[in-house]
Amino acid sequence: MATGPAGSGPARLIGFGEVLTRLATQGRVQLAQARSLDLHIGGAEANVAAALASLGHRTAMVSAIPHHGLGDSAWRALSAAGVDLRHSVRAPGRQGLYFLTPGGSLRASEILYDRAGSAFALHDWAGFDWQAALAGAEWLHVSGITPALGPDLALATHTAMAAARALGLRISFDGNYRPALWESWDSNPRAILTELVRQADLFFANHRDMALLLDHPFSGDGEARRREAALAGFEAFPNLKWIASTARHVETSDCHRLAARIDTLETGFQTREVLMPGIIDRIGGGDAFAAGVLHGLIEGTDVPRAAELGLALACLKHSVPGDMALFPRADVEGFSGEGADVKR
């Protein structure tokens, strides 16, 4: 049975995915000019598990992490964040990396992946005991990044979701479409993702993700277009109960406006738009949003409150470096979206 920190009972949410090491240039210099790099630990599912652990939820990760220094760093970071790793394995091979060149002014940030042939990608998941890993849990969280890594991981993701469905867990799926990963092998992302989304209860996706899956563009603009896309999603995937997304307007690399939205079959709710000047780091903002929404749903809040919690944690993530949004519950639940003086 997957248990949380200090044996505190079954984990409420299990994540399945690769834990990555991020190497970012300092001072916003371009990668070719860099002489030193900042190291952070991340990964879509790991970021969600860590954020929820900081909010007081018992979480666990299923992953394969190499048995060397870089892997030790990743293992320690997740353990320190309160994520249970007893169903993760230490495996031979390399640590998945990505390099970040932070943007500045009108220059966008840029990510370069170096994760091919990683310990996670090459691990044999065929015999993994999903029944044991998922026992006692309430949610499984996965993303479209893991099946994009190759046919074996596409099958492993499907197997994990099918096991969760059989055990009565709810399934959270973040689209996280990464064209470069899908294009690295002879894949059919629309077909694979369609099969996975069919098993999900909660889908983090906007109108562009839905257009990719359904091969159908959506007309209109703003909230009307998102509602049209959501209704098409509910029709195509009748198991879905919630579709959640953010709406981001980029003014410069360090000044964005962000709103959040959750749709159900019956209605849609979109939050106010929050201005985020002086952004420190936007990487991981989508995972923070997912964690905030999941926090609300796990706690049994209504849809508007879950959307507000997702927005709150996403905005807070933009204020700190690194991939993970490690904020206490009071900071998230008390978020106002306005500039604040020093807390004393």
Side-chain angles (χ1 to χ4, degrees):
M1 179 179 292
T3 61
S8 53
R12 300 188 77 177
L13 178 138
I14 312 291
F16 173 51
E18 184 167 21
V19 182
L20 296 172
T21 296
R22 173 177 115 177
L23 299 168
T25 65
Q26 300 174 345
R28 303 196 180 193
V29 302
Q30 297 185 73
L31 188 59
Q33 301 166 329
R35 296 297 176 265
S36 59
L37 299 167
D38 286 329
L39 185 150
H40 294 279
I41 303 302
E45 301 83 4
N47 293 340
V48 171
L52 282 168
S54 291
L55 293 171
H57 299 284
R58 297 185 302 273
T59 66
M61 273 294 295
V62 174
S63 193
I65 299 174
H67 216 314
H68 51 53
L70 280 175
D72 291 345
S73 174
W75 192 277
R76 284 196 302 268
L78 281 177
S79 295
V83 179
D84 177 45
L85 296 173
R86 72 186 60 199
H87 286 287
S88 289
V89 299
R90 304 304 299 268
R94 63 188 301 265
Q95 173 75 358
L97 308 175
Y98 79 91
F99 296 84
L100 171 67
T101 303
S105 185
L106 299 180
R107 175 175 57 83
S109 297
E110 184 176 356
I111 286 176
L112 173 66
Y113 285 115
D114 181 20
R115 60 195 298 176
S118 68
F120 177 82
L122 297 181
H123 185 69
D124 182 7
W125 293 101
F128 185 78
D129 189 351
W130 285 106
Q131 296 282 328
L134 297 172
E138 298 173 18
W139 285 84
L140 171 69
H141 179 70
V142 291
S143 85
I145 294 176
T146 301
L149 296 175
D152 291 342
L153 280 163
L155 177 60
T157 305
H158 188 279
T159 301
M161 295 174 78
R165 177 65 53 212
L167 289 171
L169 277 69
R170 284 178 166 169
I171 298 173
S172 165
F173 188 85
D174 193 335
N176 275 335
Y177 184 65
R178 301 291 187 267
L181 295 178
W182 287 106
E183 291 166 5
S184 67
W185 58 288
D186 185 19
S187 64
N188 185 340
R190 179 177 292 123
I192 292 170
L193 291 171
T194 294
E195 287 302 310
L196 297 176
V197 175
R198 282 185 178 138
Q199 300 189 69
D201 298 275
L202 168 61
F203 187 25
F204 291 97
N206 59 26
H207 61 281
R208 289 183 292 274
D209 298 306
M210 209 62 75
L212 169 71
L213 286 179
L214 304 181
D215 194 22
H216 170 70
F218 296 100
S219 59
D221 196 11
E223 294 186 44
R225 180 169 58 188
R226 287 174 181 260
R227 183 61 181 164
E228 179 188 353
L231 289 174
F234 289 122
E235 181 178 1
F237 307 107
N239 194 64
L240 285 178
K241 298 174 181 65
W242 307 276
I243 297 173
S245 64
T246 57
R248 181 188 299 270
H249 294 92
V250 178
E251 297 184 2
T252 67
S253 64
D254 58 1
C255 185
H256 300 179
R257 290 176 286 125
L258 192 69
R261 181 180 182 89
I262 299 179
D263 283 274
T264 66
L265 182 60
E266 295 76 22
T267 188
F269 173 81
Q270 186 152 325
T271 69
R272 71 205 187 283
E273 192 174 61
V274 174
L275 178 67
M276 299 186 297
I279 291 171
I280 303 299
D281 189 342
R282 69 164 287 184
I283 305 301
D287 302 325
F289 170 66
V293 170
L294 282 162
H295 169 58
L297 295 178
I298 290 171
E299 292 288 286
T301 66
D302 58 19
V303 162
R305 182 59 175 158
E308 292 284 0
L309 290 168
L311 177 66
L313 191 51
C315 289
L316 288 169
K317 167 61 198 72
H318 287 69
S319 71
V320 293
D323 289 43
M324 297 180 182
L326 305 181
F327 290 90
R329 182 178 295 221
D331 286 3
V332 177
E333 296 183 349
F335 179 79
S336 68
E338 299 176 357
D341 200 352
V342 177
K343 294 181 179 179
R344 301 182 189 275

